[in-house]
């Protein structure tokens, strides 16, 4: 019998579910191997050396052993715990929203260091100011891009004409922006304002720090949120659960009119 | 488990194996082992197991007060006049009440949430016994609420949510001391650690 194969990976913890006794089944996204699910034996016991190292939204250096059906976590050392992000309910909720999307789009055996870095960068920016909405929009947009699903922003996806500086339409399932003259039957069409299109173009070519500094109106922010989350949901083919708690918190903190 | 794994077994035996296999932590092999064990038991002992299952399903209810599982509502703790009514301890799970009671260091009231806010699993405040907690806080004369959710990310998020929404300005809100490691679980914490954590509870 071949000896068990051990490997090390830098990884961000996405979620876990309790298994038998005090074990945890941990879902994580590794820098060099994509999504991995592995078992933390006895990880819920206060005396376990793994305890506290496997909480969601924690970056760890992990040693794993290739198991027969599932890999086993043998060691975990915290590199970044994002502890100030976790002192705040909004910060936690936004972080978990990212984690759920990474879980949905990331795949096993298909590493994407870009996706990994996008997660780390977005958590870092949110940790500095969890009230920001733009980091989430940046994340959603670049998640689509990294997954090869980037919406077209410069030409009408139907007639291929260059888009005039004007109001347009947008559809996730035909690949992005359409001019007002085109309306293919199967498209999930929705209006797209010129200002929203400009912000999307800026998100596409800028870094997360620059994009996060953008100060836009509540209306425009709402349009972008709805457009990008609809697109993400369309490609994922299911609801993003953590979005509803996030929305709930968001509505609670809105000033009462 | 699939039908072919149990072909050759009598249908009633196969059914027992299948039912046992549904239990958490019981794989097909263990289910088979348990089923054969039950068959070899004297009749009265086997019927006692079946009877205990039936009885627990017929008799267990949620306590109207603390939401813990009980045979009669209000439960023993809620109806005990010797309990300290100035302090209430909020826990995730009925097993956490048992863990706290084993320490004998807490003599107040409980409130069981039956879970934690878990956004990724679609479990929000409405799926927990939070409304009941907030109503109770308005009615009871408690001075202190110990939020004893597990020191996990979701446990902490739930504690933050409770603090933000409990609605009483005069209430002292504490959580267990950080003797409990992050990611730990009350259920698997030894009594000494849990007692120490309880005694060192801090305002949040
Ligand atoms: Zn067109
Ligand atoms: Zn009770």
């Amino acid at each position: 019998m071949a000896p068990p194969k051990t490997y090390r990976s830098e990884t961000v913890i996405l979620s876990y579910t309790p298994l038998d006794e005090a074990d945890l089944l941990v879902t994580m996204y590794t820098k060099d191997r994509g999504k991995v699910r592995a078992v933390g034996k006895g990880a819920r016991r206060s005396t376990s050396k793994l305890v506290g190292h496997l909480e969601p939204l924690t970056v760890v250096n992990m040693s794993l052993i290739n198991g027969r059906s599932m890999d086993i976590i043998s060691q975990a050392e915290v590199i970044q715990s994002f502890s100030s992000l976790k002192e705040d309910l909004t910060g936690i909720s936004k972080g978990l929203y990212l984690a759920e999307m990474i879980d949905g789009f990331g795949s096993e055996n298909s590493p994407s260091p870009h996706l990994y870095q996008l997660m780390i960068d977005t958590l870092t920016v949110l940790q500095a100011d969890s009230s920001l909405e733009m980091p989430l929009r940046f994340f959603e947009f670049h998640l689509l891009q990294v997954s090869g699903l980037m919406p077209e922003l410069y030409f009408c996806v139907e007639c291929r004409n260059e888009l005039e500086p004007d109001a347009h339409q947008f559809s996730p399932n035909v690949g992005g922006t359409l001019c007002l003259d085109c309306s293919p039957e199967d498209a999930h069409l929705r209006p797209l304002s010129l200002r929203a299109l400009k912000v999307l173009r800026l998100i596409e070519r800028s870094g997360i720090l620059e994009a996060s500094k953008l100060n836009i109106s509540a209306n425009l922010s709402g349009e972008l949120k709805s457009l990008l989350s609809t697109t993400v949901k369309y490609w994922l083919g299911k609801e993003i659960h953590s979005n509803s708690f996030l929305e709930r918190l968001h509505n609670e903190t809105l000033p009462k009119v | 488990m699939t039908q072919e794994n149990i072909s050759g077994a009598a249908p009633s035996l196969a059914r027992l194996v299948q039912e046992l296999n549904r239990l958490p932590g019981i794989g097909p092999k263990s289910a088979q082992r348990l089923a054969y064990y039950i068959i070899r038991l004297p009749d009265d002992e086997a019927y006692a197991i079946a009877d205990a299952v039936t009885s627990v399903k017929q008799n267990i209810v949620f306590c109207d007060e603390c939401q813990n599982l009980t045979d009669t509502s209000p439960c023993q703790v809620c109806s005990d006049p010797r309990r300290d009514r100035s302090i209430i301890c909020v826990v995730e799970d009925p097993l956490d009440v048992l863990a706290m009671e084993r320490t004998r260091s807490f003599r107040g009231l409980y409130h069981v949430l039956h879970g934690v806010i878990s956004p990724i699993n679609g479990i929000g405040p409405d799926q927990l016994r939070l409304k009941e907690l907030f109503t109770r806080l308005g009615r009871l004369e408690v001075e202190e609420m110990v939020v004893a959710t597990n020191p996990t990310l979701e446990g902490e998020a739930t504690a933050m949510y409770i603090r933000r929404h409990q609605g009483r300005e005069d209430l002292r809100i504490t959580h267990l001391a950080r003797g409990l490691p992050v990611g730990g679980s009350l259920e698997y914490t030894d009594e000494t650690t849990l007692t120490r954590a309880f005694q060192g509870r801090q305002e949040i």
Side-chain angles (χ1 to χ4, degrees), chain B residues 5-17:
Chain B
N5 286 350
I6 48 175
S7 66
S12 63
L13 174 57
R15 186 177 147 223
L16 178 60
V17 172

Side-chain angles (χ1 to χ4, degrees), chain A residues 156-161 163 178-183:
Chain A
C156 171
V157 294
E158 185 73 7
C159 66
R160 305 307 303 171
N161 285 333
L163 295 164
L178 295 114
C179 73
L180 290 176
D181 299 328
C182 293
S183 38

Side-chain angles (χ1 to χ4, degrees), chain B residues 63 65-68 74-75 77-78:
Chain B
C63 171
E65 281 293 309
C66 68
Q67 307 299 319
N68 198 0
C75 71
V77 171
C78 288

Side-chain angles (χ1 to χ4, degrees), chain B:
Chain B
M1 78 186 299
T2 55
Q3 212 52 44
E4 57 194 329
N5 286 350
I6 48 175
S7 66
S12 63
L13 174 57
R15 186 177 147 223
L16 178 60
V17 172
Q18 206 169 2
E19 294 303 324
L20 291 169
N21 190 199
R22 289 176 201 271
L23 299 174
I26 306 291
K29 279 266 173 335
S30 306
Q32 243 163 30
R33 208 160 31 79
L34 285 171
Y36 282 102
Y37 176 81
I38 289 169
I39 289 169
R40 284 193 291 263
L41 282 177
D43 285 2
D44 56 333
E45 286 181 34
Y47 292 145
I49 295 174
D51 183 56
V53 173
T54 312
S55 149
V56 85
K57 287 312 285 179
Q58 282 168 352
N59 298 322
I60 289 284
V61 292
F62 293 106
C63 171
D64 286 329
E65 281 293 309
C66 68
Q67 307 299 319
N68 198 0
L69 301 173
T70 173
D71 279 336
T72 51
S73 175
C75 71
Q76 276 183 350
V77 171
C78 288
S79 50
D80 183 347
R82 290 164 303 177
R83 302 293 297 208
D84 178 356
R85 273 150 213 283
S86 70
I87 179 166
I88 187 167
C89 179
V90 180
V91 294
E92 291 180 14
D93 194 280
L95 290 172
D96 298 333
V97 173
L98 292 183
M100 288 297 304
E101 285 295 286
R102 274 200 304 268
T103 70
R104 297 173 190 280
S105 55
F106 179 70
R107 300 295 302 156
L109 303 173
Y110 290 101
H111 191 90
V112 183
L113 297 173
H114 294 279
V116 274
I117 295 175
S118 177
I120 287 187
N121 294 307
I123 299 172
D126 301 337
Q127 276 84 52
L128 308 176
R129 306 287 164 126
L130 278 170
K131 205 162 22 93
E132 290 83 353
L133 172 64
F134 299 147
T135 317
R136 250 183 118 197
L137 288 176
R139 184 161 39 83
L140 294 176
E141 290 180 350
V142 288
E143 291 154 19
E144 180 180 348
M145 168 166 64
V146 190
V147 183
T149 48
N150 286 324
T152 59
L153 186 64
E154 291 177 344
E156 297 287 0
T158 307
M160 289 177 206
Y161 187 88
I162 291 173
R163 188 181 52 177
R164 192 191 278 190
H165 290 81
Q166 55 85 18
R168 264 181 56 175
E169 276 170 23
D170 56 337
L171 191 63
R172 182 171 172 238
I173 306 175
T174 53
H175 64 59
L176 299 184
R178 285 294 164 262
L180 293 182
V182 174
S185 160
L186 262 57
E187 190 187 336
Y188 293 108
T189 301
D190 65 279
E191 287 149 47
T192 322
T193 309
L194 193 50
T195 301
R196 221 176 283 141
F198 190 81
Q199 285 159 351
R201 65 187 185 275
Q202 293 154 357
E203 206 123 358
I204 52 174

Side-chain angles (χ1 to χ4, degrees), chain A residues 135-205:
Chain A
L136 299 185
R137 305 294 87 80
F138 184 93
F139 181 92
E140 290 158 342
F141 188 92
H142 287 273
L143 175 70
L144 292 168
Q145 186 182 46
V146 168
S147 314
L149 303 166
M150 189 185 74
E152 171 61 56
L153 300 175
Y154 294 91
F155 296 91
C156 171
V157 294
E158 185 73 7
C159 66
R160 305 307 303 171
N161 285 333
E162 195 170 345
L163 295 164
E164 303 287 326
D166 204 347
H168 298 287
Q169 318 175 81
F170 186 90
S171 164
N173 72 323
V174 297
T177 316
L178 295 114
C179 73
L180 290 176
D181 299 328
C182 293
S183 38
E185 255 180 36
D186 59 336
H188 295 244
L189 283 174
R190 47 183 298 141
L192 172 69
S193 72
L194 178 61
R195 290 194 308 156
L197 178 63
K198 283 184 170 168
V199 176
L200 289 175
R201 286 175 176 176
L202 190 136
I203 288 176
E204 184 198 353
R205 58 172 191 264

